[in-house]
Amino acid sequence: KLCGYLQKLSGKGPLRGFRSRWFVFDPRRCYLYYFKGPQEPLPLGHLDIASACFSYHQPEAGAAAAGDEPAAFEVHSPGGAVTVLKAATRQDMTYWLQELQQKRWEYCNNLDAAKRDSRTSPTPSDFSKGLVAKDNPDLSILSQNASAERARNILAVEASPTDLVGEQAASQPAPVQASAINFSLKQWSTEIKNSMSSLRKGSNENRKSVFYTTEEWELLDPTPKDLEDSMALEEKRKHLAEGNKGLTSSAFPFDFGRIPHKARRPLKDMIGSSKNRNSSDSSPTEWCSGNGNRLVSELQLKYQSQQEELEKLKKDLLSQKELVRLLQQTVRSSQYDKYFASHLCEGVPKDLLELLHQKDDQILGLNNQLEKLNLEKDSLQQEVKNLKCKVGELNERLGMLMETIQAKDEVIMKLSRQLSECEGSPSSQSGAINSPTATCTNKELQELDRLKDNLQGYKTQNKFLNKEILELSALRRNAEAREREWQAKYTSLEAKLCQIESKYLILLQEMKTPVCSEDQSPAREVITQLLEDALKAEPSEQPEQAFFKPHLVSEYDIYGFQTVPEDDDEEKLVAKSRALDLRSLSLSENREISTGVKWENYLASTMNREMMRCVELKNLIRSGIPHEHRSKMWKWCVSLHVKKFKDSTVPGYFQTLLQKALEKPNPASKQIELDLLRTLPNNKHYSSPTSEGIQKLRNVLLAFSWRNPDIGYCQGLNRLVAIALLYLEQEDAFWCLVTIVEVFMPRDYYTKTLLGSQVDQRVFKDLLSEKLPRLHAHFEQYKVDYTLITFNWFLVVFVDSVVSDILFKIWDSFLYEGPKVIFRFALALFKYKEEEILKLQDSMSIFKYLRYFTRTVLDARKLTAIAFGDLNPFPLRQIRNRRAYHLEKVRLELTELEAIREDFLRERETCAEKRDLISDDEEDS
């Protein structure tokens, strides 16, 4: 997973600067999302890497070899937007650039390799689970450019990430942010800053002075010594700023509005006189001479006079505070005495009053003593701070003296060596001549090393930029080829549409013309020709023409279900018409695009956190999970419901059950084998004994028969597992079956008596009479038992009852919300076709229509709106209460039936005539 810390240049004006952000690459959309931190749920934004290009600038001389310095690079997006990112080291920058290039190359090549229409599945790499992930339908793979790949490998730059890149970086603190206004103006700005520190507003010692001018001045951070001097001066004068604590802080370090005019003018002159000075020539010695010394001394004199005035004001303030304190104590004492005199003196002995007065005097004395001690403590703390500052200054001075002594010692040693060489060697004169030559040689060697470093940096930059140009050229050629191919496909589709419209107009004209005999009608020939054209197989085309062929209806849909049957021509025509209607709906619905965007945004918000149940997620799932995310979401939903079961099992639980089932078959094994090929014969994953889905289906059913021997196997479980296996692996499909049978459905739903299924049919009757009273009365009038149709809907959750697109949208909500969804969609199907059913006026036509009408429901959006909108309110408590009520009734009926059966068997045993009756099968045996 490509993720890590980078600093992003953002903001405007004086707030513009680099801010540390957590970046995460999303391979699904080739987006680079950035968050405030690794734990943040929502991203601040994203960069579209698929359509971006990258660049960076070669550092200044000598900095090329400094791999530990921060390095910035640029991401150029469409529309001219440029995003500047900064890595902690040049090594990290190189790694990020290489990885982003590689991700962009892979993503764009995948787009070029998979030429699909809007309804086919994404590339197999986007999937990780299920049988649908193995599909690779109708791909037109473009041949890779071998020379481009070889050139990319040659131009690749070796780079390995540091600790700030990768998932392990999330556990580390964010790097220190680089401030956009973190600078000073050479050495003299530090002097100004120190001298003006007492004029600051508030007590924010860490703020820095910023001066905005029209010239481009060289901006440098202050040296550590300057910072120490500044901090020491701040500590000395900290007490001067205590009186301004309650004032509102300014946006600037200095409150220029409060600086006296006399002090403001020299500062302005000081900055103005320095505008034309070259920053590289402004050394401390030059600045301290001339006008600089005069201005600084004048400013210091004015500062000292202001400081003396502030000291006087402070003394007056302290004396006034002491006076106010004494007056307050006197007032409190008098009020206290008055209170005692007026309220407490009645009935109190005089000795007690005198004792209370003594205690009060003692308390006041102790308070005064405590205040004096606090004042002494503050003064001592101030003295300690001053002593620490003096000790720091002495230590610094001592360090400077030690450095001076060390430098003098080195000079003495060097002079001693030269003296000894001169005395010992007769050729001392020639050595003195060669010493300037050696100095020049050292300088040339240093210059040569610097040039080598620059050369290496420019080589690396040149390789990266050449690779970037190569990739962008290849991507541009692929985009142009893709555009030409889409243009050809559009032309082919337009031509076919014109042919269809021409035939349709001819048919309308022929139908309008009156004829004497139907057999001689020209329209009959036209209709016959159109039917033959519609039903005949598409002619095989050349490989280079395969992409331009408009595949409106393919043999299988994206789930593997057969779209057009092979036997009956009439049914084949109806199925093809239905598939075209579905295709038309999917192309005309713009809502699918907005739903996909909402899903992408939601999944992006979960990149740094776990998904949780919420209203937003429920609404998204109700609108349908996109094909590319269904595998992930189904697995998450199943894990949500069976977490308590999984936690109580040992690792490898499914494999243990499967091994047991393979070693020792149980009574359900035979029935499972018989039903395997009858599960979904119209799906290519289960159509033959050698299909991959058959073996997976067998494994899951056998494992479940050992887990739940009370049910073992029931016809209908095979279809539930077959649908789950299209998007889940074997073990996840096994837990999906556990979710449906043991979590969602009531007990005895899939047992031999199908008690729970019978109860749900009666509950559904009650709901139909409540939600659709007209339709219920219509069924009652013609005595139509519609539960014969709906029973299978509940047992296998609409498998083989609705078109595949609607089936999987129902399963999306079913796996998240539970069995209540089945009631919603069963009622929605009837409401969808309510008017058509009410037009039928006999029981036979009604029952015949009910057998196939669900296949004519194609608009999934309309059906979902009915299920989750028009049928509200739909409380789960109501379903549970009705289930409990009907469960007792069904149990009583089953008990009565069991009593009747026992009576019959008892009567059969006692009656000789009935006992002697045998069946024809028994005679044959």
Side-chain angles (χ1 to χ4, degrees):
K1 189 175 181 180
L2 181 59
C3 57
Y5 283 108
L6 288 174
Q7 292 186 9
K8 181 178 179 294
L9 183 63
S10 58
K12 293 181 180 180
L15 299 179
R16 184 169 177 81
F18 285 97
R19 291 172 175 83
S20 182
R21 296 287 181 255
W22 176 258
F23 283 79
V24 180
F25 180 78
D26 182 8
R28 296 190 308 268
R29 304 182 68 185
C30 201
Y31 280 0
L32 185 64
Y33 291 96
Y34 52 92
F35 301 80
K36 209 168 185 180
Q39 308 302 327
E40 292 294 322
L42 297 177
L44 300 175
H46 68 272
L47 304 176
D48 187 1
I49 301 301
S51 55
C53 59
F54 315 104
S55 65
Y56 74 94
H57 298 288
Q58 173 64 17
E60 296 296 329
D68 295 335
E69 292 295 325
F73 61 95
E74 298 175 351
V75 180
H76 299 261
S77 302
V82 179
T83 304
V84 182
L85 304 177
K86 182 185 287 187
T89 63
R90 295 192 59 78
Q91 184 180 358
D92 284 344
M93 181 199 73
T94 307
Y95 179 79
W96 273 101
L97 288 173
Q98 293 287 331
E99 288 297 314
L100 291 176
Q101 274 188 336
Q102 183 66 25
K103 301 294 184 184
R104 181 188 61 189
W105 181 258
E106 293 174 355
Y107 180 81
C108 293
N109 281 336
N110 286 338
L111 289 182
D112 294 334
K115 302 297 183 182
R116 295 181 171 88
D117 54 21
S118 61
R119 277 179 51 75
T120 54
S121 62
T123 54
S125 61
D126 292 341
F127 270 102
S128 58
K129 307 291 181 185
L131 295 170
V132 179
K134 312 291 191 300
D135 288 347
N136 196 12
D138 300 330
L139 292 185
S140 174
I141 304 297
L142 299 179
S143 59
Q144 296 290 335
N145 192 337
S147 61
E149 287 287 345
R150 193 161 50 251
R152 287 182 70 254
N153 294 332
I154 292 174
L155 294 174
V157 180
E158 294 292 334
S160 57
T162 62
D163 293 338
L164 294 178
V165 181
E167 295 183 0
Q168 71 278 0
S171 60
Q172 298 185 3
V176 179
Q177 299 181 8
S179 176
I181 54 175
N182 182 18
F183 60 88
S184 59
L185 303 177
K186 281 289 187 181
Q187 302 271 350
W188 60 270
S189 66
T190 307
E191 303 249 349
I192 297 175
K193 196 164 49 175
N194 292 337
S195 61
M196 295 290 294
S197 59
S198 63
L199 298 176
R200 288 188 179 181
K201 192 176 186 180
S203 58
N204 295 326
E205 296 89 350
N206 294 329
R207 292 186 178 178
K208 296 184 178 181
S209 304
V210 181
F211 302 96
Y212 299 100
T213 65
T214 57
E215 301 291 329
E216 294 184 357
W217 290 24
E218 185 176 359
L219 309 178
L220 296 174
D221 288 334
T223 61
K225 184 176 184 304
D226 295 332
L227 288 177
E228 290 179 3
D229 293 342
S230 176
M231 292 299 294
L233 198 58
E234 287 291 332
E235 292 293 339
K236 290 179 181 179
R237 298 163 182 167
K238 186 176 179 180
H239 60 278
L240 295 177
E242 291 179 354
N244 297 327
K245 284 185 178 180
L247 300 177
T248 306
S249 298
S250 174
F252 294 92
F254 297 149
D255 188 1
F256 291 102
R258 291 182 176 270
I259 299 177
H261 181 73
K262 293 180 180 181
R264 206 183 312 161
R265 183 63 186 173
L267 180 62
K268 182 177 179 181
D269 297 339
M270 196 172 172
I271 296 176
S273 63
S274 304
K275 279 189 176 180
N276 297 326
R277 182 189 295 271
N278 189 349
S279 60
S280 61
D281 297 331
S282 57
S283 63
T285 305
E286 293 172 351
W287 177 248
C288 291
S289 61
N291 293 332
N293 283 332
R294 181 177 57 80
L295 292 174
V296 171
S297 60
E298 182 181 354
L299 192 61
Q300 287 178 349
L301 289 174
K302 293 181 179 180
Y303 163 72
Q304 289 175 359
S305 63
Q306 291 175 0
Q307 188 178 13
E308 292 175 357
E309 186 176 352
L310 285 174
E311 289 290 341
K312 292 179 181 179
L313 291 174
K314 184 183 176 183
K315 290 180 181 178
D316 294 340
L317 179 63
L318 290 176
S319 61
Q320 295 294 329
K321 282 184 178 180
E322 182 67 20
L323 179 61
V324 169
R325 186 181 63 79
L326 293 174
L327 291 173
Q328 286 177 347
Q329 288 180 357
T330 305
V331 170
R332 283 199 302 269
S333 178
S334 62
Q335 289 178 349
Y336 188 78
D337 293 341
K338 182 180 179 181
Y339 174 77
F340 267 93
S342 60
H343 295 283
L344 300 179
C345 291
E346 297 179 0
V348 179
K350 292 183 179 180
D351 54 350
L352 291 178
L353 289 176
E354 292 178 358
L355 181 62
L356 287 175
H357 285 301
Q358 291 177 2
K359 294 297 182 183
D360 289 339
D361 295 337
Q362 291 178 2
I363 290 172
L364 291 175
L366 290 173
N367 285 333
N368 294 332
Q369 188 177 359
L370 179 62
E371 290 179 0
K372 292 180 181 178
L373 291 175
N374 286 332
L375 292 175
E376 291 179 3
K377 176 185 174 183
D378 294 338
S379 63
L380 290 174
Q381 287 179 347
Q382 188 65 32
E383 289 181 6
V384 169
K385 288 182 181 179
N386 295 335
L387 290 174
K388 285 184 179 180
C389 293
K390 290 181 180 179
V391 169
E393 293 176 359
L394 292 175
N395 287 334
E396 189 174 338
R397 195 174 299 175
L398 179 61
M400 294 175 61
L401 291 174
M402 293 295 292
E403 291 177 359
T404 305
I405 292 171
Q406 185 176 0
K408 289 182 178 180
D409 290 341
E410 291 177 356
V411 171
I412 292 171
M413 294 294 293
K414 185 177 180 180
L415 292 175
S416 300
R417 285 196 300 271
Q418 289 180 358
L419 181 61
S420 61
E421 289 176 359
C422 291
E423 292 177 352
S425 174
S427 58
S428 59
Q429 187 176 0
S430 62
I433 296 174
N434 291 332
S435 59
T437 306
T439 304
C440 294
T441 304
N442 291 332
K443 290 182 179 179
E444 291 175 355
L445 289 175
Q446 292 177 0
E447 182 69 16
L448 181 62
D449 292 338
R450 186 180 64 82
L451 292 176
K452 284 182 179 180
D453 292 340
N454 289 341
L455 179 61
Q456 185 62 34
Y458 283 119
K459 282 183 177 180
T460 303
Q461 184 186 25
N462 188 37
K463 287 176 68 176
F464 170 77
L465 293 178
N466 285 335
K467 183 181 176 184
E468 182 73 7
I469 293 170
L470 175 68
E471 287 190 4
L472 292 175
S473 300
L475 295 177
R476 180 182 59 82
R477 289 193 300 270
N478 291 342
E480 291 175 352
R482 188 163 59 247
E483 184 180 1
R484 289 193 298 269
E485 290 164 356
W486 282 113
Q487 185 67 30
K489 184 173 183 179
Y490 167 74
T491 305
S492 175
L493 288 172
E494 189 176 14
K496 187 166 185 177
L497 177 62
C498 292
Q499 294 175 6
I500 293 173
E501 288 182 351
S502 175
K503 293 176 183 179
Y504 178 67
L505 292 175
I506 293 172
L507 178 61
L508 290 179
Q509 181 64 31
E510 293 296 335
M511 293 296 291
K512 182 181 179 182
T513 304
V515 292
C516 299
S517 174
E518 187 178 353
D519 296 336
Q520 300 175 356
S521 171
R524 188 177 184 85
E525 296 179 2
V526 174
I527 293 173
T528 304
Q529 183 63 37
L530 288 174
L531 287 174
E532 290 178 359
D533 292 343
L535 294 175
K536 69 181 180 180
E538 299 285 350
S540 59
E541 300 184 6
Q542 299 298 326
E544 61 271 11
Q545 299 174 345
F547 181 75
F548 308 133
K549 177 181 176 181
H551 292 291
L552 294 178
V553 178
S554 57
E555 184 179 2
Y556 296 97
D557 62 10
I558 56 177
Y559 314 105
F561 288 100
Q562 196 173 19
T563 55
V564 180
E566 300 176 353
D567 301 329
D568 189 3
D569 287 347
E570 183 177 355
E571 180 64 26
K572 185 186 296 186
L573 188 64
V574 173
K576 193 166 185 178
S577 173
R578 187 189 306 129
L580 287 171
D581 289 340
L582 283 171
R583 175 75 171 144
S584 175
L585 279 173
S586 66
L587 290 175
S588 61
E589 283 186 358
N590 294 327
R591 179 176 172 273
E592 295 295 331
I593 301 175
S594 63
T595 302
V597 172
K598 290 179 181 177
W599 270 102
E600 292 294 342
N601 292 336
Y602 176 78
L603 292 176
S605 70
T606 61
M607 297 184 72
N608 287 337
R609 62 182 176 89
E610 294 292 333
M611 280 191 293
M612 298 178 64
R613 296 177 72 106
C614 60
V615 177
E616 179 188 6
L617 180 58
K618 182 171 73 171
N619 292 332
L620 282 175
I621 291 177
R622 284 181 172 182
S623 64
I625 302 174
H627 186 63
E628 59 269 24
H629 304 310
R630 186 167 282 137
S631 175
K632 174 183 177 181
M633 293 305 302
W634 278 20
K635 182 178 179 181
W636 178 80
C637 290
V638 170
S639 300
L640 191 69
H641 295 298
V642 296
K643 188 177 185 299
K644 60 179 181 179
F645 293 113
K646 281 188 173 183
D647 293 342
S648 61
T649 59
V650 296
Y653 176 69
F654 170 73
Q655 296 297 332
T656 304
L657 292 176
L658 181 58
Q659 188 66 28
K660 186 187 296 184
L662 295 176
E663 292 175 356
K664 184 181 178 183
N666 59 12
S669 302
K670 183 177 180 181
Q671 188 60 43
I672 290 173
E673 289 296 330
L674 291 175
D675 288 346
L676 287 178
L677 292 177
R678 294 184 293 190
T679 302
L680 293 176
N682 59 338
N683 191 291
K684 64 181 180 180
H685 301 294
Y686 306 99
S687 57
S688 67
T690 58
S691 300
E692 183 181 2
I694 292 295
Q695 181 58 42
K696 292 185 175 182
L697 181 61
R698 179 187 294 112
N699 293 341
V700 175
L701 292 174
L702 288 175
F704 182 79
S705 66
W706 277 96
R707 170 182 169 82
N708 195 330
D710 184 35
I711 296 175
Y713 172 73
C714 172
Q715 288 184 343
L717 298 183
N718 54 335
R719 295 188 177 188
L720 298 175
V721 175
I723 294 298
L725 281 171
L726 291 177
Y727 283 98
L728 301 174
E729 289 296 340
Q730 293 184 79
E731 186 171 356
D732 297 324
F734 166 79
W735 287 112
C736 180
L737 184 60
V738 172
T739 301
I740 296 172
V741 177
E742 301 182 14
V743 179
F744 286 167
M745 300 304 189
R747 290 187 60 185
D748 300 327
Y749 211 88
Y750 294 98
T751 54
K752 293 179 180 180
T753 60
L754 298 177
L755 178 62
S757 302
Q758 297 181 53
V759 170
D760 272 0
Q761 293 310 303
R762 301 194 182 195
V763 174
F764 180 67
K765 273 189 175 182
D766 293 346
L767 293 174
L768 187 69
S769 64
E770 178 186 335
K771 300 291 183 180
L772 305 173
R774 286 197 307 152
L775 190 60
H776 177 74
H778 190 66
F779 287 145
E780 291 294 326
Q781 179 183 355
Y782 292 101
K783 301 188 184 306
V784 176
D785 187 7
Y786 53 86
T787 59
L788 298 175
I789 303 297
T790 59
F791 186 85
N792 197 52
W793 297 359
F794 283 76
L795 196 66
V796 296
V797 195
F798 298 99
V799 178
D800 271 350
S801 298
V802 294
V803 295
S804 55
D805 279 356
I806 294 179
L807 171 66
F808 285 94
K809 288 183 185 296
I810 293 174
W811 271 65
D812 292 339
S813 300
F814 171 67
L815 290 179
Y816 182 75
E817 299 185 46
K820 186 173 72 170
V821 171
I822 305 177
F823 290 96
R824 281 186 178 273
F825 276 98
L827 291 170
L829 286 169
F830 279 114
K831 186 172 179 60
Y832 193 103
K833 293 291 184 179
E834 182 179 11
E835 298 301 327
E836 287 81 352
I837 297 173
L838 291 175
K839 293 176 183 178
L840 303 175
Q841 299 300 322
D842 62 273
S843 59
M844 290 300 295
S845 60
I846 293 174
F847 194 78
K848 183 178 179 181
Y849 183 74
L850 293 180
R851 293 183 63 183
Y852 73 87
F853 86 99
T854 54
R855 286 283 177 180
T856 64
V857 177
L858 305 179
D859 194 344
R861 180 173 60 176
K862 180 180 176 182
L863 183 67
T864 303
I866 294 173
F868 295 110
D870 298 348
L871 296 177
N872 285 335
F874 210 90
L876 182 60
R877 186 185 304 108
Q878 181 184 12
I879 295 177
R880 289 174 178 169
N881 294 337
R882 292 180 185 272
R883 273 177 170 171
Y885 170 73
H886 288 292
L887 181 61
E888 294 299 325
K889 294 183 65 176
V890 173
R891 280 178 177 171
L892 288 175
E893 292 175 3
L894 290 177
T895 304
E896 292 176 1
L897 288 175
E898 184 66 24
I900 293 172
R901 190 181 70 86
E902 290 178 357
D903 291 341
F904 173 76
L905 293 176
R906 193 180 307 110
E907 184 181 355
R908 182 180 177 183
E909 291 295 331
T910 56
C911 182
E913 294 179 359
K914 294 182 179 180
R915 188 174 60 241
D916 293 338
L917 293 176
I918 58 175
S919 64
D920 295 337
D921 294 337
E922 291 174 348
E923 284 185 351
D924 295 338
S925 62

